[in-house]
Amino acid sequence: MTTEPVGSDAAQERLRRWRLVLGGDPADGTGRTLSGQDAAMDGALTALYGKEAAARGGRDRAAGLGGSAPAVARWLGDIRTYFPSSVVQVMQRDAIDRLGLATLLLEPEMLEAVEADVHLVGTLLSLHQAMPETTKETARTVVRKVVEDLEKRLASRTRATLTGALDRSARVTRPRHHDIDWNRTVSANLKHYLPQYGTVVPERLVGYGRASRSVKKEVVLCVDQSGSMAASVVYASVFGAVLASMPSMETRLVVFDTAVVDLTDQLDDPVDVLFGTRLGGGTDINRALAYCQSRITRPAETVVVLISDLYEGGIRDEMLRRVAAMQAAGVRFVTLLALSDEGTPAYDREHAAALAALGAPAFACTPDHFPEVMAAAIERRPLPIPDAG
């Protein structure tokens, strides 16, 4: 093992980084002083992670950043100058949690200064009932920017994946010549191979179904809007709008806590959908599924996606019986514990196990993986469940 000389550039850079991490306490052991931009970075970090800031509680915590919206806005501008966007978003979330800054997001100048991301949108949605009129339009602008960025990232791939799944699920056995799926036709007729001629006699043709004006599949997104599901609500709203834009699919979006709200008529604008939600409160999955079940008209052509951490406040056994009844009628039922980029979420393991026993395994899903999950559900293939390990 080699040791770098204390005076080397690499060693000095290492000391600099440790000094920024440890915060300059006399016992940090670096013996390093900071100046210029490093000192400014250290000040921004200390305002959020320093001992005085951590010791404050409630409203007084905001004093760590000056105790006023303009001071916080300046701090937000500083961290955007010194740190990359991904780090800025983490620091913003920590500031909201550690320093009690949620109420300051009701200030227009604060909203104009933040780096918008899914988590910030979740916070704004939880606060929007309390927002003054002067802030609501700014909040909608912030939310719309995030939603548009998500649509650019997710829409094209989702439409392409699901269009292919819909085409494959509509295959017919008496196709016109230009509708024949030759790969599947050859595979289905291999037993009719004639070696003397080196060919396969296609006794049975397999083809793609011709495009139909009628709706081929129905999708119901049933989304838990309790506070812990904020990111999932944002992504579900975006995906709901994308699915609703596909003419061969009829999409319904239902959000719930202890009440149930059908937001299907707002799916042309996911921002309207998001501001129609009410993050927080209890959970009654059974009531939400009862509503969804009452709206299903073609069970064999329907996919129901429940997005919830499964902390049920309603009648558990009735919820399970309802899932079993929908599946028995032909509905494809999918349970997502979260639809977000986060890691393994907290969830009710007993309820997840009970659903798995019914053939509806519960698993977390990233937005990038969601199109494949939906394609498998539409084609009634085994779901591509991510490896929990």
PDB file of all heavy atoms in Angstrom, residues 217-223 243 249-255 262 264 288-289 291-293 295-297 301-307 326 331-334 370 374:
ATOM      1  N   LYS A 217     -58.286  -2.423 -25.397  1.00  0.00           N
ATOM      2  CA  LYS A 217     -58.011  -2.714 -23.993  1.00  0.00           C
ATOM      3  C   LYS A 217     -58.483  -1.558 -23.116  1.00  0.00           C
ATOM      4  O   LYS A 217     -58.522  -0.408 -23.539  1.00  0.00           O
ATOM      5  CB  LYS A 217     -56.519  -2.923 -23.768  1.00  0.00           C
ATOM      6  CG  LYS A 217     -55.961  -4.173 -24.427  1.00  0.00           C
ATOM      7  CD  LYS A 217     -56.449  -5.437 -23.752  1.00  0.00           C
ATOM      8  CE  LYS A 217     -55.870  -6.671 -24.449  1.00  0.00           C
ATOM      9  NZ  LYS A 217     -56.343  -7.915 -23.808  1.00  0.00           N
ATOM     10  N   GLU A 218     -58.833  -1.911 -21.886  1.00  0.00           N
ATOM     11  CA  GLU A 218     -59.190  -0.907 -20.886  1.00  0.00           C
ATOM     12  C   GLU A 218     -58.176  -0.996 -19.744  1.00  0.00           C
ATOM     13  O   GLU A 218     -57.863  -2.094 -19.284  1.00  0.00           O
ATOM     14  CB  GLU A 218     -60.612  -1.130 -20.368  1.00  0.00           C
ATOM     15  CG  GLU A 218     -61.678  -0.966 -21.447  1.00  0.00           C
ATOM     16  CD  GLU A 218     -63.092  -1.152 -20.912  1.00  0.00           C
ATOM     17  OE1 GLU A 218     -63.248  -1.220 -19.674  1.00  0.00           O
ATOM     18  OE2 GLU A 218     -64.023  -1.231 -21.732  1.00  0.00           O
ATOM     19  N   VAL A 219     -57.690   0.153 -19.312  1.00  0.00           N
ATOM     20  CA  VAL A 219     -56.722   0.208 -18.220  1.00  0.00           C
ATOM     21  C   VAL A 219     -57.285   1.094 -17.123  1.00  0.00           C
ATOM     22  O   VAL A 219     -57.761   2.203 -17.392  1.00  0.00           O
ATOM     23  CB  VAL A 219     -55.361   0.756 -18.699  1.00  0.00           C
ATOM     24  CG1 VAL A 219     -54.417   0.951 -17.515  1.00  0.00           C
ATOM     25  CG2 VAL A 219     -54.743  -0.182 -19.726  1.00  0.00           C
ATOM     26  N   VAL A 220     -57.235   0.601 -15.899  1.00  0.00           N
ATOM     27  CA  VAL A 220     -57.668   1.378 -14.736  1.00  0.00           C
ATOM     28  C   VAL A 220     -56.461   1.556 -13.823  1.00  0.00           C
ATOM     29  O   VAL A 220     -55.908   0.570 -13.315  1.00  0.00           O
ATOM     30  CB  VAL A 220     -58.804   0.676 -13.969  1.00  0.00           C
ATOM     31  CG1 VAL A 220     -59.228   1.529 -12.766  1.00  0.00           C
ATOM     32  CG2 VAL A 220     -59.988   0.394 -14.883  1.00  0.00           C
ATOM     33  N   LEU A 221     -56.027   2.800 -13.643  1.00  0.00           N
ATOM     34  CA  LEU A 221     -54.967   3.115 -12.685  1.00  0.00           C
ATOM     35  C   LEU A 221     -55.628   3.566 -11.393  1.00  0.00           C
ATOM     36  O   LEU A 221     -56.321   4.579 -11.361  1.00  0.00           O
ATOM     37  CB  LEU A 221     -54.065   4.217 -13.227  1.00  0.00           C
ATOM     38  CG  LEU A 221     -53.332   3.929 -14.548  1.00  0.00           C
ATOM     39  CD1 LEU A 221     -52.506   5.150 -14.963  1.00  0.00           C
ATOM     40  CD2 LEU A 221     -52.452   2.709 -14.425  1.00  0.00           C
ATOM     41  N   CYS A 222     -55.416   2.809 -10.339  1.00  0.00           N
ATOM     42  CA  CYS A 222     -56.029   3.082  -9.029  1.00  0.00           C
ATOM     43  C   CYS A 222     -54.904   3.467  -8.076  1.00  0.00           C
ATOM     44  O   CYS A 222     -54.119   2.605  -7.657  1.00  0.00           O
ATOM     45  CB  CYS A 222     -56.774   1.833  -8.557  1.00  0.00           C
ATOM     46  SG  CYS A 222     -57.682   2.051  -7.017  1.00  0.00           S
ATOM     47  N   VAL A 223     -54.806   4.748  -7.745  1.00  0.00           N
ATOM     48  CA  VAL A 223     -53.597   5.291  -7.126  1.00  0.00           C
ATOM     49  C   VAL A 223     -53.868   5.797  -5.711  1.00  0.00           C
ATOM     50  O   VAL A 223     -54.733   6.653  -5.495  1.00  0.00           O
ATOM     51  CB  VAL A 223     -53.011   6.427  -7.985  1.00  0.00           C
ATOM     52  CG1 VAL A 223     -51.663   6.871  -7.439  1.00  0.00           C
ATOM     53  CG2 VAL A 223     -52.864   5.986  -9.441  1.00  0.00           C
ATOM     54  N   LEU A 243     -51.242   7.151 -21.619  1.00  0.00           N
ATOM     55  CA  LEU A 243     -52.123   6.046 -22.009  1.00  0.00           C
ATOM     56  C   LEU A 243     -53.432   6.572 -22.591  1.00  0.00           C
ATOM     57  O   LEU A 243     -53.966   6.016 -23.550  1.00  0.00           O
ATOM     58  CB  LEU A 243     -52.405   5.147 -20.803  1.00  0.00           C
ATOM     59  CG  LEU A 243     -51.200   4.453 -20.157  1.00  0.00           C
ATOM     60  CD1 LEU A 243     -51.653   3.572 -19.003  1.00  0.00           C
ATOM     61  CD2 LEU A 243     -50.420   3.635 -21.169  1.00  0.00           C
ATOM     62  N   MET A 249     -56.762   2.385 -26.608  1.00  0.00           N
ATOM     63  CA  MET A 249     -56.803   2.064 -25.187  1.00  0.00           C
ATOM     64  C   MET A 249     -57.697   3.056 -24.457  1.00  0.00           C
ATOM     65  O   MET A 249     -57.631   4.259 -24.698  1.00  0.00           O
ATOM     66  CB  MET A 249     -55.383   2.098 -24.615  1.00  0.00           C
ATOM     67  CG  MET A 249     -55.262   1.610 -23.194  1.00  0.00           C
ATOM     68  SD  MET A 249     -53.522   1.640 -22.663  1.00  0.00           S
ATOM     69  CE  MET A 249     -52.798   0.444 -23.797  1.00  0.00           C
ATOM     70  N   GLU A 250     -58.544   2.559 -23.616  1.00  0.00           N
ATOM     71  CA  GLU A 250     -59.384   3.423 -22.792  1.00  0.00           C
ATOM     72  C   GLU A 250     -58.828   3.408 -21.378  1.00  0.00           C
ATOM     73  O   GLU A 250     -58.699   2.347 -20.767  1.00  0.00           O
ATOM     74  CB  GLU A 250     -60.828   2.932 -22.798  1.00  0.00           C
ATOM     75  CG  GLU A 250     -61.779   3.840 -22.036  1.00  0.00           C
ATOM     76  CD  GLU A 250     -63.220   3.406 -22.188  1.00  0.00           C
ATOM     77  OE1 GLU A 250     -63.792   3.576 -23.284  1.00  0.00           O
ATOM     78  OE2 GLU A 250     -63.762   2.856 -21.211  1.00  0.00           O
ATOM     79  N   THR A 251     -58.503   4.588 -20.876  1.00  0.00           N
ATOM     80  CA  THR A 251     -57.803   4.687 -19.592  1.00  0.00           C
ATOM     81  C   THR A 251     -58.651   5.435 -18.578  1.00  0.00           C
ATOM     82  O   THR A 251     -59.233   6.470 -18.882  1.00  0.00           O
ATOM     83  CB  THR A 251     -56.454   5.420 -19.780  1.00  0.00           C
ATOM     84  OG1 THR A 251     -55.676   4.736 -20.753  1.00  0.00           O
ATOM     85  CG2 THR A 251     -55.682   5.478 -18.471  1.00  0.00           C
ATOM     86  N   ARG A 252     -58.674   4.896 -17.373  1.00  0.00           N
ATOM     87  CA  ARG A 252     -59.363   5.542 -16.255  1.00  0.00           C
ATOM     88  C   ARG A 252     -58.342   5.752 -15.136  1.00  0.00           C
ATOM     89  O   ARG A 252     -57.545   4.861 -14.843  1.00  0.00           O
ATOM     90  CB  ARG A 252     -60.523   4.672 -15.757  1.00  0.00           C
ATOM     91  CG  ARG A 252     -61.324   5.317 -14.611  1.00  0.00           C
ATOM     92  CD  ARG A 252     -62.515   4.454 -14.228  1.00  0.00           C
ATOM     93  NE  ARG A 252     -63.470   4.334 -15.330  1.00  0.00           N
ATOM     94  CZ  ARG A 252     -64.418   5.225 -15.587  1.00  0.00           C
ATOM     95  NH1 ARG A 252     -64.538   6.307 -14.819  1.00  0.00           N
ATOM     96  NH2 ARG A 252     -65.248   5.047 -16.594  1.00  0.00           N
ATOM     97  N   LEU A 253     -58.353   6.941 -14.528  1.00  0.00           N
ATOM     98  CA  LEU A 253     -57.471   7.240 -13.402  1.00  0.00           C
ATOM     99  C   LEU A 253     -58.311   7.546 -12.171  1.00  0.00           C
ATOM    100  O   LEU A 253     -59.122   8.476 -12.183  1.00  0.00           O
ATOM    101  CB  LEU A 253     -56.561   8.433 -13.714  1.00  0.00           C
ATOM    102  CG  LEU A 253     -55.630   8.876 -12.578  1.00  0.00           C
ATOM    103  CD1 LEU A 253     -54.623   7.784 -12.229  1.00  0.00           C
ATOM    104  CD2 LEU A 253     -54.897  10.166 -12.938  1.00  0.00           C
ATOM    105  N   VAL A 254     -58.101   6.750 -11.125  1.00  0.00           N
ATOM    106  CA  VAL A 254     -58.829   6.900  -9.870  1.00  0.00           C
ATOM    107  C   VAL A 254     -57.807   7.096  -8.755  1.00  0.00           C
ATOM    108  O   VAL A 254     -56.840   6.323  -8.650  1.00  0.00           O
ATOM    109  CB  VAL A 254     -59.680   5.645  -9.579  1.00  0.00           C
ATOM    110  CG1 VAL A 254     -60.354   5.754  -8.215  1.00  0.00           C
ATOM    111  CG2 VAL A 254     -60.717   5.445 -10.685  1.00  0.00           C
ATOM    112  N   VAL A 255     -57.969   8.145  -7.960  1.00  0.00           N
ATOM    113  CA  VAL A 255     -57.098   8.354  -6.799  1.00  0.00           C
ATOM    114  C   VAL A 255     -57.943   8.227  -5.536  1.00  0.00           C
ATOM    115  O   VAL A 255     -59.147   8.486  -5.545  1.00  0.00           O
ATOM    116  CB  VAL A 255     -56.395   9.726  -6.849  1.00  0.00           C
ATOM    117  CG1 VAL A 255     -55.495   9.822  -8.080  1.00  0.00           C
ATOM    118  CG2 VAL A 255     -57.392  10.872  -6.832  1.00  0.00           C
ATOM    119  N   ASP A 262     -62.508  10.197  -9.095  1.00  0.00           N
ATOM    120  CA  ASP A 262     -62.246   9.778 -10.473  1.00  0.00           C
ATOM    121  C   ASP A 262     -61.788  11.005 -11.264  1.00  0.00           C
ATOM    122  O   ASP A 262     -62.545  11.955 -11.454  1.00  0.00           O
ATOM    123  CB  ASP A 262     -63.517   9.183 -11.091  1.00  0.00           C
ATOM    124  CG  ASP A 262     -63.249   8.463 -12.405  1.00  0.00           C
ATOM    125  OD1 ASP A 262     -62.333   8.888 -13.130  1.00  0.00           O
ATOM    126  OD2 ASP A 262     -63.964   7.491 -12.705  1.00  0.00           O
ATOM    127  N   THR A 264     -60.574  10.866 -14.424  1.00  0.00           N
ATOM    128  CA  THR A 264     -60.457  10.473 -15.831  1.00  0.00           C
ATOM    129  C   THR A 264     -60.719  11.624 -16.781  1.00  0.00           C
ATOM    130  O   THR A 264     -60.032  11.775 -17.801  1.00  0.00           O
ATOM    131  CB  THR A 264     -61.426   9.317 -16.124  1.00  0.00           C
ATOM    132  OG1 THR A 264     -61.134   8.236 -15.226  1.00  0.00           O
ATOM    133  CG2 THR A 264     -61.309   8.842 -17.554  1.00  0.00           C
ATOM    134  N   ALA A 288     -61.814   1.955  -2.836  1.00  0.00           N
ATOM    135  CA  ALA A 288     -61.330   2.353  -4.160  1.00  0.00           C
ATOM    136  C   ALA A 288     -61.506   1.225  -5.172  1.00  0.00           C
ATOM    137  O   ALA A 288     -61.948   1.449  -6.306  1.00  0.00           O
ATOM    138  CB  ALA A 288     -59.860   2.759  -4.072  1.00  0.00           C
ATOM    139  N   LEU A 289     -61.178   0.000  -4.770  1.00  0.00           N
ATOM    140  CA  LEU A 289     -61.330  -1.126  -5.694  1.00  0.00           C
ATOM    141  C   LEU A 289     -62.809  -1.414  -5.994  1.00  0.00           C
ATOM    142  O   LEU A 289     -63.147  -1.841  -7.103  1.00  0.00           O
ATOM    143  CB  LEU A 289     -60.663  -2.373  -5.109  1.00  0.00           C
ATOM    144  CG  LEU A 289     -59.130  -2.324  -5.033  1.00  0.00           C
ATOM    145  CD1 LEU A 289     -58.591  -3.628  -4.459  1.00  0.00           C
ATOM    146  CD2 LEU A 289     -58.517  -2.048  -6.396  1.00  0.00           C
ATOM    147  N   TYR A 291     -65.074   0.852  -6.294  1.00  0.00           N
ATOM    148  CA  TYR A 291     -65.440   1.823  -7.328  1.00  0.00           C
ATOM    149  C   TYR A 291     -64.920   1.370  -8.690  1.00  0.00           C
ATOM    150  O   TYR A 291     -65.648   1.393  -9.693  1.00  0.00           O
ATOM    151  CB  TYR A 291     -64.885   3.204  -6.983  1.00  0.00           C
ATOM    152  CG  TYR A 291     -65.160   4.231  -8.057  1.00  0.00           C
ATOM    153  CD1 TYR A 291     -66.373   4.902  -8.107  1.00  0.00           C
ATOM    154  CD2 TYR A 291     -64.212   4.483  -9.051  1.00  0.00           C
ATOM    155  CE1 TYR A 291     -66.637   5.824  -9.116  1.00  0.00           C
ATOM    156  CE2 TYR A 291     -64.467   5.400 -10.058  1.00  0.00           C
ATOM    157  CZ  TYR A 291     -65.685   6.064 -10.088  1.00  0.00           C
ATOM    158  OH  TYR A 291     -65.942   6.958 -11.096  1.00  0.00           O
ATOM    159  N   CYS A 292     -63.643   0.980  -8.735  1.00  0.00           N
ATOM    160  CA  CYS A 292     -63.061   0.538 -10.005  1.00  0.00           C
ATOM    161  C   CYS A 292     -63.806  -0.664 -10.562  1.00  0.00           C
ATOM    162  O   CYS A 292     -64.092  -0.730 -11.769  1.00  0.00           O
ATOM    163  CB  CYS A 292     -61.586   0.189  -9.804  1.00  0.00           C
ATOM    164  SG  CYS A 292     -60.544   1.606  -9.363  1.00  0.00           S
ATOM    165  N   GLN A 293     -64.135  -1.603  -9.706  1.00  0.00           N
ATOM    166  CA  GLN A 293     -64.848  -2.808 -10.133  1.00  0.00           C
ATOM    167  C   GLN A 293     -66.202  -2.453 -10.745  1.00  0.00           C
ATOM    168  O   GLN A 293     -66.626  -3.052 -11.739  1.00  0.00           O
ATOM    169  CB  GLN A 293     -65.029  -3.740  -8.938  1.00  0.00           C
ATOM    170  CG  GLN A 293     -65.615  -5.102  -9.287  1.00  0.00           C
ATOM    171  CD  GLN A 293     -65.742  -5.980  -8.056  1.00  0.00           C
ATOM    172  OE1 GLN A 293     -65.876  -5.478  -6.926  1.00  0.00           O
ATOM    173  NE2 GLN A 293     -65.690  -7.286  -8.237  1.00  0.00           N
ATOM    174  N   ARG A 295     -66.892   0.026 -12.495  1.00  0.00           N
ATOM    175  CA  ARG A 295     -66.743   0.696 -13.786  1.00  0.00           C
ATOM    176  C   ARG A 295     -66.230  -0.251 -14.880  1.00  0.00           C
ATOM    177  O   ARG A 295     -66.079   0.163 -16.016  1.00  0.00           O
ATOM    178  CB  ARG A 295     -65.791   1.894 -13.665  1.00  0.00           C
ATOM    179  CG  ARG A 295     -66.307   3.012 -12.760  1.00  0.00           C
ATOM    180  CD  ARG A 295     -67.633   3.557 -13.287  1.00  0.00           C
ATOM    181  NE  ARG A 295     -68.114   4.704 -12.543  1.00  0.00           N
ATOM    182  CZ  ARG A 295     -68.868   4.648 -11.452  1.00  0.00           C
ATOM    183  NH1 ARG A 295     -69.205   3.452 -10.946  1.00  0.00           N
ATOM    184  NH2 ARG A 295     -69.287   5.740 -10.857  1.00  0.00           N
ATOM    185  N   ILE A 296     -65.938  -1.480 -14.542  1.00  0.00           N
ATOM    186  CA  ILE A 296     -65.405  -2.429 -15.525  1.00  0.00           C
ATOM    187  C   ILE A 296     -66.559  -3.038 -16.321  1.00  0.00           C
ATOM    188  O   ILE A 296     -67.488  -3.610 -15.750  1.00  0.00           O
ATOM    189  CB  ILE A 296     -64.599  -3.537 -14.821  1.00  0.00           C
ATOM    190  CG1 ILE A 296     -63.355  -2.929 -14.158  1.00  0.00           C
ATOM    191  CG2 ILE A 296     -64.191  -4.629 -15.819  1.00  0.00           C
ATOM    192  CD1 ILE A 296     -62.576  -3.907 -13.296  1.00  0.00           C
ATOM    193  N   THR A 297     -66.493  -2.911 -17.628  1.00  0.00           N
ATOM    194  CA  THR A 297     -67.558  -3.446 -18.492  1.00  0.00           C
ATOM    195  C   THR A 297     -67.092  -4.646 -19.306  1.00  0.00           C
ATOM    196  O   THR A 297     -67.903  -5.449 -19.739  1.00  0.00           O
ATOM    197  CB  THR A 297     -68.057  -2.358 -19.463  1.00  0.00           C
ATOM    198  OG1 THR A 297     -66.951  -1.872 -20.241  1.00  0.00           O
ATOM    199  CG2 THR A 297     -68.669  -1.194 -18.684  1.00  0.00           C
ATOM    200  N   GLU A 301     -60.846  -7.858 -21.094  1.00  0.00           N
ATOM    201  CA  GLU A 301     -60.020  -6.899 -21.830  1.00  0.00           C
ATOM    202  C   GLU A 301     -59.524  -5.779 -20.934  1.00  0.00           C
ATOM    203  O   GLU A 301     -59.120  -4.725 -21.417  1.00  0.00           O
ATOM    204  CB  GLU A 301     -60.821  -6.298 -22.992  1.00  0.00           C
ATOM    205  CG  GLU A 301     -61.365  -7.309 -23.978  1.00  0.00           C
ATOM    206  CD  GLU A 301     -60.252  -8.124 -24.633  1.00  0.00           C
ATOM    207  OE1 GLU A 301     -59.157  -7.558 -24.840  1.00  0.00           O
ATOM    208  OE2 GLU A 301     -60.458  -9.304 -24.919  1.00  0.00           O
ATOM    209  N   THR A 302     -59.551  -6.005 -19.619  1.00  0.00           N
ATOM    210  CA  THR A 302     -59.242  -4.937 -18.662  1.00  0.00           C
ATOM    211  C   THR A 302     -58.020  -5.275 -17.827  1.00  0.00           C
ATOM    212  O   THR A 302     -57.868  -6.407 -17.353  1.00  0.00           O
ATOM    213  CB  THR A 302     -60.442  -4.679 -17.734  1.00  0.00           C
ATOM    214  OG1 THR A 302     -61.563  -4.271 -18.529  1.00  0.00           O
ATOM    215  CG2 THR A 302     -60.128  -3.576 -16.729  1.00  0.00           C
ATOM    216  N   VAL A 303     -57.161  -4.264 -17.639  1.00  0.00           N
ATOM    217  CA  VAL A 303     -56.025  -4.356 -16.722  1.00  0.00           C
ATOM    218  C   VAL A 303     -56.237  -3.334 -15.608  1.00  0.00           C
ATOM    219  O   VAL A 303     -56.441  -2.149 -15.888  1.00  0.00           O
ATOM    220  CB  VAL A 303     -54.688  -4.065 -17.436  1.00  0.00           C
ATOM    221  CG1 VAL A 303     -53.529  -4.087 -16.443  1.00  0.00           C
ATOM    222  CG2 VAL A 303     -54.453  -5.061 -18.570  1.00  0.00           C
ATOM    223  N   VAL A 304     -56.231  -3.788 -14.373  1.00  0.00           N
ATOM    224  CA  VAL A 304     -56.332  -2.892 -13.219  1.00  0.00           C
ATOM    225  C   VAL A 304     -54.963  -2.822 -12.551  1.00  0.00           C
ATOM    226  O   VAL A 304     -54.376  -3.858 -12.217  1.00  0.00           O
ATOM    227  CB  VAL A 304     -57.378  -3.386 -12.201  1.00  0.00           C
ATOM    228  CG1 VAL A 304     -57.339  -2.518 -10.927  1.00  0.00           C
ATOM    229  CG2 VAL A 304     -58.773  -3.340 -12.812  1.00  0.00           C
ATOM    230  N   VAL A 305     -54.442  -1.608 -12.379  1.00  0.00           N
ATOM    231  CA  VAL A 305     -53.149  -1.401 -11.734  1.00  0.00           C
ATOM    232  C   VAL A 305     -53.388  -0.661 -10.422  1.00  0.00           C
ATOM    233  O   VAL A 305     -53.766   0.515 -10.421  1.00  0.00           O
ATOM    234  CB  VAL A 305     -52.196  -0.596 -12.632  1.00  0.00           C
ATOM    235  CG1 VAL A 305     -50.824  -0.465 -11.959  1.00  0.00           C
ATOM    236  CG2 VAL A 305     -52.056  -1.258 -14.002  1.00  0.00           C
ATOM    237  N   LEU A 306     -53.186  -1.361  -9.319  1.00  0.00           N
ATOM    238  CA  LEU A 306     -53.282  -0.747  -7.998  1.00  0.00           C
ATOM    239  C   LEU A 306     -51.887  -0.276  -7.600  1.00  0.00           C
ATOM    240  O   LEU A 306     -50.942  -1.072  -7.551  1.00  0.00           O
ATOM    241  CB  LEU A 306     -53.800  -1.753  -6.975  1.00  0.00           C
ATOM    242  CG  LEU A 306     -53.754  -1.306  -5.503  1.00  0.00           C
ATOM    243  CD1 LEU A 306     -54.670  -0.118  -5.262  1.00  0.00           C
ATOM    244  CD2 LEU A 306     -54.105  -2.468  -4.574  1.00  0.00           C
ATOM    245  N   ILE A 307     -51.742   1.026  -7.327  1.00  0.00           N
ATOM    246  CA  ILE A 307     -50.460   1.596  -6.910  1.00  0.00           C
ATOM    247  C   ILE A 307     -50.623   2.059  -5.468  1.00  0.00           C
ATOM    248  O   ILE A 307     -51.248   3.082  -5.193  1.00  0.00           O
ATOM    249  CB  ILE A 307     -50.049   2.758  -7.826  1.00  0.00           C
ATOM    250  CG1 ILE A 307     -50.009   2.294  -9.292  1.00  0.00           C
ATOM    251  CG2 ILE A 307     -48.685   3.309  -7.414  1.00  0.00           C
ATOM    252  CD1 ILE A 307     -49.757   3.411 -10.283  1.00  0.00           C
ATOM    253  N   MET A 326     -62.402 -10.002  -9.219  1.00  0.00           N
ATOM    254  CA  MET A 326     -62.029  -9.371 -10.486  1.00  0.00           C
ATOM    255  C   MET A 326     -61.188 -10.319 -11.330  1.00  0.00           C
ATOM    256  O   MET A 326     -61.390 -10.447 -12.544  1.00  0.00           O
ATOM    257  CB  MET A 326     -61.274  -8.060 -10.221  1.00  0.00           C
ATOM    258  CG  MET A 326     -62.192  -6.897  -9.865  1.00  0.00           C
ATOM    259  SD  MET A 326     -61.342  -5.283  -9.868  1.00  0.00           S
ATOM    260  CE  MET A 326     -60.612  -5.296  -8.247  1.00  0.00           C
ATOM    261  N   VAL A 331     -60.183 -10.130 -15.254  1.00  0.00           N
ATOM    262  CA  VAL A 331     -59.374  -8.921 -15.147  1.00  0.00           C
ATOM    263  C   VAL A 331     -57.920  -9.298 -14.845  1.00  0.00           C
ATOM    264  O   VAL A 331     -57.657 -10.180 -14.022  1.00  0.00           O
ATOM    265  CB  VAL A 331     -59.912  -8.002 -14.030  1.00  0.00           C
ATOM    266  CG1 VAL A 331     -58.970  -6.830 -13.779  1.00  0.00           C
ATOM    267  CG2 VAL A 331     -61.301  -7.498 -14.383  1.00  0.00           C
ATOM    268  N   ARG A 332     -56.971  -8.614 -15.508  1.00  0.00           N
ATOM    269  CA  ARG A 332     -55.560  -8.781 -15.152  1.00  0.00           C
ATOM    270  C   ARG A 332     -55.236  -7.749 -14.085  1.00  0.00           C
ATOM    271  O   ARG A 332     -55.366  -6.542 -14.309  1.00  0.00           O
ATOM    272  CB  ARG A 332     -54.662  -8.572 -16.376  1.00  0.00           C
ATOM    273  CG  ARG A 332     -53.179  -8.874 -16.079  1.00  0.00           C
ATOM    274  CD  ARG A 332     -52.965 -10.351 -15.848  1.00  0.00           C
ATOM    275  NE  ARG A 332     -51.658 -10.662 -15.329  1.00  0.00           N
ATOM    276  CZ  ARG A 332     -50.571 -10.893 -16.077  1.00  0.00           C
ATOM    277  NH1 ARG A 332     -50.649 -10.807 -17.395  1.00  0.00           N
ATOM    278  NH2 ARG A 332     -49.431 -11.207 -15.507  1.00  0.00           N
ATOM    279  N   PHE A 333     -54.825  -8.212 -12.911  1.00  0.00           N
ATOM    280  CA  PHE A 333     -54.632  -7.330 -11.757  1.00  0.00           C
ATOM    281  C   PHE A 333     -53.138  -7.212 -11.470  1.00  0.00           C
ATOM    282  O   PHE A 333     -52.435  -8.211 -11.315  1.00  0.00           O
ATOM    283  CB  PHE A 333     -55.363  -7.876 -10.535  1.00  0.00           C
ATOM    284  CG  PHE A 333     -55.542  -6.876  -9.433  1.00  0.00           C
ATOM    285  CD1 PHE A 333     -56.678  -6.074  -9.381  1.00  0.00           C
ATOM    286  CD2 PHE A 333     -54.579  -6.715  -8.455  1.00  0.00           C
ATOM    287  CE1 PHE A 333     -56.843  -5.134  -8.375  1.00  0.00           C
ATOM    288  CE2 PHE A 333     -54.732  -5.785  -7.447  1.00  0.00           C
ATOM    289  CZ  PHE A 333     -55.874  -4.992  -7.402  1.00  0.00           C
ATOM    290  N   VAL A 334     -52.667  -5.970 -11.372  1.00  0.00           N
ATOM    291  CA  VAL A 334     -51.253  -5.684 -11.112  1.00  0.00           C
ATOM    292  C   VAL A 334     -51.164  -4.816  -9.858  1.00  0.00           C
ATOM    293  O   VAL A 334     -51.912  -3.842  -9.726  1.00  0.00           O
ATOM    294  CB  VAL A 334     -50.603  -4.942 -12.296  1.00  0.00           C
ATOM    295  CG1 VAL A 334     -49.139  -4.637 -12.010  1.00  0.00           C
ATOM    296  CG2 VAL A 334     -50.742  -5.761 -13.583  1.00  0.00           C
ATOM    297  N   PHE A 370     -42.012   0.616 -16.151  1.00  0.00           N
ATOM    298  CA  PHE A 370     -43.472   0.540 -16.204  1.00  0.00           C
ATOM    299  C   PHE A 370     -44.011   0.114 -17.572  1.00  0.00           C
ATOM    300  O   PHE A 370     -44.943  -0.699 -17.637  1.00  0.00           O
ATOM    301  CB  PHE A 370     -44.074   1.879 -15.778  1.00  0.00           C
ATOM    302  CG  PHE A 370     -45.577   1.893 -15.720  1.00  0.00           C
ATOM    303  CD1 PHE A 370     -46.249   1.255 -14.690  1.00  0.00           C
ATOM    304  CD2 PHE A 370     -46.324   2.557 -16.688  1.00  0.00           C
ATOM    305  CE1 PHE A 370     -47.635   1.272 -14.619  1.00  0.00           C
ATOM    306  CE2 PHE A 370     -47.705   2.577 -16.632  1.00  0.00           C
ATOM    307  CZ  PHE A 370     -48.361   1.932 -15.593  1.00  0.00           C
ATOM    308  N   MET A 374     -46.683  -3.023 -18.151  1.00  0.00           N
ATOM    309  CA  MET A 374     -47.990  -2.885 -18.785  1.00  0.00           C
ATOM    310  C   MET A 374     -48.102  -3.749 -20.042  1.00  0.00           C
ATOM    311  O   MET A 374     -49.158  -4.337 -20.311  1.00  0.00           O
ATOM    312  CB  MET A 374     -48.246  -1.421 -19.135  1.00  0.00           C
ATOM    313  CG  MET A 374     -48.500  -0.525 -17.935  1.00  0.00           C
ATOM    314  SD  MET A 374     -49.922  -1.071 -16.965  1.00  0.00           S
ATOM    315  CE  MET A 374     -51.224  -0.994 -18.182  1.00  0.00           C
TER     316      MET A 374
END
